[in-house]
Amino acid sequence: AREDGQLLVPDRMTISWIDPQTASHDQLWAWTGDSGVVERVRVMHGQAVVGVRRIRDADRLVAVDLEDGRARWGRDVEGRIETVRPAGSAVLAVTREPAALHLLDARDGRVRVSCDVLESAWDPFRRVRLPHRTVAVTNGWVWYVDREGSELRAINSTSGEMVWSEPVVTLNEVLPLAAAGGIVAFAEMDGLRVMDIDPLTGEPAHSMLWAGDLAITSDTRLWVSRNHVFVLEHGRRRKAQVRVIRVDRSGGRLRLSEVRTVGRRELSWPLGSDHFVDGARLSPKGLVLTGSSSGGAGTRTATAWTASSGRRFAWSDRRSGALETLRHPPGRYGRSAHWATDRGLTFVPLRGGGITGRR
């Protein structure tokens, strides 16, 4: 999103700036290859990095100038690109088939390093592979779980050098991992491990275990925002709860305390047991979650709320209708897209693969 409120959105073969208030759009760049679909776009390092999904050829990353829409560089990436994000002066792409991470120089697309990572978990309920949750970035250091799921590692995003590693135990191929602001958190069998990272070496300066009773499943997710760690759990019958853990790093020590558990009653819907949280974004006020449930005739209903970074839990926005989830890129499968803002969620409906406005 730009300062004027316009959003840069992928739409099958193009990326465009749209104004949610007026529904106007201005195409910035178009994919002109023989085959491929624009699946994602991320603005970083003063440019838009576009992920193009190709069936017969390798997926491709393209860096696009934000002013004139010209391609600065392009690079084929082995595997299916799942996420793209900044990592120091690099572009981090995480792929599946094979599961790997790739660090590319943001200036010219040169590959700095590629590493095999743990394959994403299989969700037996939806019978799909879930997005990768075992790769995280903070202060230019990339953290990931190795292919065998036996070791947690940290690498320098500039040199590609591994700076730290430690054995870990994954449960059914699941080890939720998150990092931000010099904090790395991951769920293990004994609870939640939180580490304060030395900004110069990338190694943990302090480490502490929050020995809470975590229900680690394929849907367990973590987020780090400022001095809080959010833990999303799904228990019996897919009912969800969010735990908010405060991280205190004052006085050269690391202390953890549970601020609040947003329980099943507060996250309940008047729907059946197939209702689950399927999307989440961090906003300046905390964690924005979206939940959905399959209905009759292939319809989906959705609800959104915000768990603020503190003691207060507040509803910020509630919508019903077809909701685009994080598993599918906007403009391809769903009829609307959403973005986290400081007011909750901004919804932009998509009609026939085209952007039509805001609701």
Side-chain angles (χ1 to χ4, degrees), residues 22-177:
T22 65
S24 63
H25 70 279
D26 181 16
Q27 180 178 305
L28 178 65
W29 175 84
W31 169 251
T32 58
D34 294 335
S35 64
V37 175
V38 174
E39 281 200 335
R40 63 196 77 254
V41 60
R42 184 75 177 264
V43 175
M44 64 185 84
H45 305 297
Q47 59 194 1
V49 179
V50 184
V52 179
R53 171 63 175 159
R54 299 193 290 183
I55 304 300
R56 300 181 182 87
D57 302 307
D59 282 12
R60 190 166 180 83
L61 286 176
V62 181
V64 177
D65 190 290
L66 292 173
E67 298 299 327
D68 57 24
R70 294 183 180 181
R72 293 181 175 179
W73 53 261
R75 183 72 60 184
D76 290 351
V77 177
E78 182 183 6
R80 178 171 182 175
I81 299 173
E82 186 174 273
T83 61
V84 180
R85 70 184 84 167
S89 61
V91 174
L92 171 64
V94 180
T95 64
R96 64 172 62 183
E97 302 173 4
L101 67 84
H102 308 271
L103 283 168
L104 288 70
D105 192 301
R107 295 171 299 178
D108 55 16
R110 175 179 55 86
V111 178
R112 292 178 177 176
V113 67
S114 296
C115 304
D116 294 335
V117 302
L118 179 66
E119 183 63 76
S120 59
W122 173 258
D123 185 342
F125 182 77
R126 281 159 282 183
R127 302 189 64 81
V128 296
R129 282 278 177 189
L130 295 174
H132 275 96
R133 293 165 186 165
T134 54
V135 179
V137 181
T138 180
N139 295 349
W141 309 99
V142 180
W143 293 73
Y144 71 97
V145 180
D146 70 336
R147 172 65 61 85
E148 290 72 28
S150 61
E151 198 170 65
L152 177 63
R153 299 174 178 175
I155 59 176
N156 186 312
S157 62
T158 300
S159 65
E161 176 186 3
M162 185 169 66
V163 297
W164 182 86
S165 65
E166 182 176 281
V168 292
V169 178
T170 59
L171 180 63
N172 297 326
E173 299 182 328
V174 176
L175 193 145
L177 176 68

Side-chain angles (χ1 to χ4, degrees), residues 3 38 81 105 163 216 222 294 332 359:
E3 293 183 358
V38 174
I81 299 173
D105 192 301
V163 297
I216 301 177
L222 304 180
S294 299
R332 293 199 63 198
R359 61 176 178 178

